């Protein structure tokens, strides 16, 4: 019986990187007001004082999903049964 990875190592690395970035972006949405967001973030408004909570929730959810995908991709699968 042989075991192989569910996905190539680069897939795991990309998913982990996307997950970490999305979680950090979500935290920024929770912590900063719309006026203090970086100008390239969706929802940036120079004169606004409110937080974009929904953007933060969505970013954290996507980040967690990507991290779960990275975790699942590290697993192994069994192929063949071999001679018994």
């Amino acid at each position: 019986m042989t075991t192989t990875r569910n996905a190539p190592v680069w897939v795991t690395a990309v998913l982990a990187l996307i997950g970490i970035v999305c979680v950090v972006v979500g935290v920024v949405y929770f912590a900063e007001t719309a006026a203090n967001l970086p100008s390239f973030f969706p929802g940036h408004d120079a004169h606004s004082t409110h937080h974009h909570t929904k953007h933060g929730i969505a970013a954290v959810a996507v980040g967690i999903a990507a991290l779960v995908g990275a975790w699942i991709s590290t697993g192994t699968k069994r192929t063949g049964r071999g001679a018994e």
Side-chain angles (χ1 to χ4, degrees):
M1 178 175 6
T2 61
T3 58
T4 58
R5 286 182 52 94
N6 284 336
V9 175
W10 67 268
V11 171
T12 303
V14 168
L15 284 172
L17 181 64
I18 290 170
I20 291 168
V21 168
C22 284
V23 169
V24 169
V25 166
V27 170
V28 170
Y29 271 119
F30 290 131
E32 299 293 337
T33 62
N36 294 333
L37 288 174
S39 61
F40 58 87
F41 271 36
H44 171 77
D45 184 10
H47 304 291
S48 179
T49 60
H50 74 279
H51 294 267
H52 286 289
T53 307
K54 291 179 190 176
H55 286 97
I57 292 170
V60 169
V62 170
I64 290 172
L67 290 171
V68 168
W71 175 49
I72 290 172
S73 72
T74 62
T76 58
K77 58 184 174 183
R78 296 179 183 173
T79 57
R81 291 196 57 96
E84 293 183 3

